[in-house]
Amino acid sequence: MPHVERFSISMNRELLKTFDELTARKGYPNRSEAIRDLVRNALVEERWADANEKVAATVTIVYDHHTRELADRLADIQHHHGSLVVAATHIHLDNDNCLEVVILRGLSGRVRQLAELLIAQKGVKHGRAVYTTEGRDLW
Ligand code: NI
């Protein structure tokens, strides 16, 4: 457990009021936890700016499995990037639509490229990647 330091922050009243409303709306127990999350988000984002950081990501895609060859194409892409794909889960939303979550891990540049490639496939109705961290050096 890292040593906890206390410090004070100066902020204009209006900004603080808005921040407190945000903190409450998001369910944070206090300002400190909300600020810690903001700092962590900034650090993770910074890490992703470097293409050679070890990172993790999830890619969520929704698609119609009747779209010609799309399911095969998505599987092919994952096979060709086997070293980056940790796991994939597929559920059938209804008669037509599938939801797939692909978990990726590797160097940020390659992970981002693969995430973008999956989302960009013709027939994917919606795709979103969450670029996160392996958690080391982040407290
Ligand atoms: Ni399906």
Side-chain angles (χ1 to χ4, degrees), residues 90-110:
H90 179 116
I91 66 157
H92 315 303
L93 294 169
D94 57 28
N95 284 339
D96 308 312
N97 294 290
C98 302
L99 180 147
E100 204 159 307
V101 179
V102 186
I103 303 174
L104 307 176
R105 200 171 173 187
L107 296 182
S108 41
R110 298 189 60 214

Side-chain angles (χ1 to χ4, degrees), residues 19-40:
F19 179 66
D20 281 343
E21 287 163 5
L22 177 82
T23 300
R25 204 163 51 240
K26 293 202 173 226
Y28 284 105
N30 51 53
R31 288 173 179 160
S32 290
E33 188 53 37
I35 287 171
R36 282 193 287 270
D37 261 9
L38 290 174
V39 170
R40 291 181 192 118

Side-chain angles (χ1 to χ4, degrees), residues 78-128:
Q78 292 179 53
H79 277 276
H80 284 135
H81 298 83
S83 61
L84 298 175
V85 178
V86 179
T89 300
H90 179 116
I91 66 157
H92 315 303
L93 294 169
D94 57 28
N95 284 339
D96 308 312
N97 294 290
C98 302
L99 180 147
E100 204 159 307
V101 179
V102 186
I103 303 174
L104 307 176
R105 200 171 173 187
L107 296 182
S108 41
R110 298 189 60 214
V111 167
R112 188 191 295 275
Q113 208 169 28
L114 176 53
E116 288 174 351
L117 183 64
L118 289 166
I119 291 168
Q121 293 308 301
K122 188 179 174 190
V124 172
K125 292 181 175 180
H126 184 248
R128 187 60 63 90

Side-chain angles (χ1 to χ4, degrees), residues 26-87:
K26 293 202 173 226
Y28 284 105
N30 51 53
R31 288 173 179 160
S32 290
E33 188 53 37
I35 287 171
R36 282 193 287 270
D37 261 9
L38 290 174
V39 170
R40 291 181 192 118
N41 277 336
L43 291 170
V44 169
E45 227 171 86
E46 180 73 12
R47 218 150 283 174
W48 274 90
D50 181 341
N52 292 308
E53 288 285 336
K54 281 202 74 189
V55 294
T58 57
V59 184
T60 300
I61 47 180
V62 172
Y63 65 95
D64 184 335
H65 76 263
H66 296 116
T67 303
R68 202 174 144 73
E69 293 165 2
L70 177 56
D72 284 348
R73 212 169 342 118
L74 290 170
D76 275 350
I77 291 168
Q78 292 179 53
H79 277 276
H80 284 135
H81 298 83
S83 61
L84 298 175
V85 178
V86 179

